[in-house]
Amino acid sequence: MILTVTLNTALDVTHRVPRLLPHASHRVTGVAERPGGKGLNVARVLGALGHPVTATGFAGGPAGTLVRELLAGCPGVTDALVPCSGTTRRTLAVVDETTGDTTQFNEPGPQITAGEWSAFLDRYTELAAGARAVALCGSLPPGVPVGAYATLVRTARTAGVPVLLDTSGEALRRGVAARPEIIKPNSAELAELTGSREPLPATRDARRRGAHAVVTSLGPGGLLAATPDGTWQAAPPRPLSGNPTGAGDSAVAGLLSALTEGLDWPARLTRAVALSAATVHAPVAGEFDPRTYEEVRGSVKVTPLR
């Protein structure tokens, strides 16, 4: 199985409105609730691809209860969330149906106690020992040590399990130093890590900081990957309009699933780009449009770079 970690899980609520205007009242045309947070989005996509996946992290309060109820309906996903005394955060996305743009509001998350963090570490160590790969995704809730991801990377590496790290800021900086198999920052997160806004040299610099491979999201431009086997840019055949929320999480699912299947880097990037593009055509994060996935997968251009 693949293990996903979402320390700051969320109840994601998506509202759709005909047009989003500041300082105005809006009539909502549709509402969707789903288990959220980057790692849970990854888990849902992996399950839809047919990969057994276990999801862990924290869940608490009424929102956490609803997250677990919704997660029970996700094919292929096993719930291994750890209870906490605080209340799981909510995120609110408002989709403008005229432009397709999405406005996001993210709560900070519950305060995690030292005892709850210790209980999670015990559960994670047990789960990681039986995993084929681990995804560490998203922000840290209050109370969790800033070096948490570095600790989790080292635990998985001790068990001989490859880790993909997808976070930002100081958590990413410390996590990279623990030498994960893959990191997947977007261009802004990569620039913050390396101090360079040039994606290619910044990606290579991030490898020198400890990551075995670095895959950078370029938005509509696809993915840029610096790996021990070479450097590539993988791009969809054309720009796609829609809701980009969760596209990066689907790319993580593509990379992890291809890694566990033993595919080479061009094939991994092709799957990741196709899933990312197909998520843009899906109504909410954690889902992808199968028709778009098959269409784009056959047309992704993977270019080797020097």
Side-chain angles (χ1 to χ4, degrees):
M1 63 87 177
I2 297 174
L3 177 64
T4 69
V5 175
T6 316
L7 295 176
N8 210 3
T9 54
L11 175 63
D12 283 355
V13 183
T14 300
H15 285 180
R16 304 185 71 87
V17 298
R19 187 170 182 83
L20 181 62
L21 299 172
H23 317 299
S25 297
H26 297 79
R27 186 174 297 277
V28 175
T29 59
V31 180
E33 293 181 327
R34 59 182 177 79
K38 293 176 71 65
L40 292 188
N41 292 339
V42 172
R44 292 167 62 215
V45 173
L46 286 168
L49 290 171
H51 284 264
V53 56
T54 296
T56 192
F58 292 105
T65 298
L66 184 51
V67 164
R68 303 188 81 159
E69 291 174 355
L70 294 170
L71 198 62
C74 297
V77 180
T78 298
D79 176 0
L81 295 171
V82 175
C84 65
S85 55
T87 297
T88 294
R89 67 188 177 128
R90 297 162 299 173
T91 65
L92 175 64
V94 182
V95 179
D96 184 322
E97 294 178 324
T98 300
T99 64
D101 291 339
T102 301
T103 301
Q104 193 91 9
F105 301 89
N106 297 328
E107 296 178 356
Q111 181 77 30
I112 302 301
T113 69
E116 289 165 348
W117 175 240
S118 178
F120 171 80
L121 286 176
D122 290 343
R123 183 70 169 130
Y124 171 79
T125 301
E126 174 189 346
L127 292 168
R132 299 182 65 194
V134 173
L136 306 175
C137 303
S139 62
L140 301 178
V144 170
V146 70
Y149 282 137
T151 298
L152 301 184
V153 170
R154 286 191 289 266
T155 299
R157 291 186 69 235
T158 298
V161 179
V163 179
L164 187 153
L165 176 61
D166 183 11
T167 188
S168 60
E170 188 62 21
L172 174 60
R173 188 181 309 278
R174 297 197 186 194
V176 167
R179 305 188 65 81
E181 184 75 12
I182 305 170
I183 63 169
K184 200 212 70 62
N186 60 33
S187 54
E189 293 162 348
L190 182 67
E192 183 181 10
L193 174 66
T194 65
S196 173
R197 295 195 174 276
E198 295 295 329
L200 184 55
T203 301
R204 288 170 171 161
D205 179 41
R207 278 201 70 214
R208 289 191 290 270
R209 292 169 185 261
H212 194 63
V214 180
V215 180
T216 305
S217 297
L218 302 176
L223 298 173
L224 176 65
T227 82
D229 300 326
T231 303
W232 292 273
Q233 182 170 350
R238 65 184 187 282
L240 297 174
S241 61
N243 180 5
T245 305
D249 304 330
S250 292
V252 169
L255 292 169
L256 270 184
S257 60
L259 169 68
T260 60
E261 293 172 24
L263 302 185
D264 62 15
W265 271 104
R268 296 182 197 181
L269 296 170
T270 295
R271 181 179 294 180
V273 167
L275 281 171
S276 181
T279 296
V280 172
H281 275 190
V284 294
E287 299 177 4
F288 63 93
D289 180 69
R291 182 177 299 179
T292 302
Y293 172 58
E294 292 299 334
E295 175 191 343
V296 173
R297 186 171 62 165
S299 306
V300 173
K301 183 178 181 181
V302 182
T303 305
L305 304 174
R306 293 190 177 187

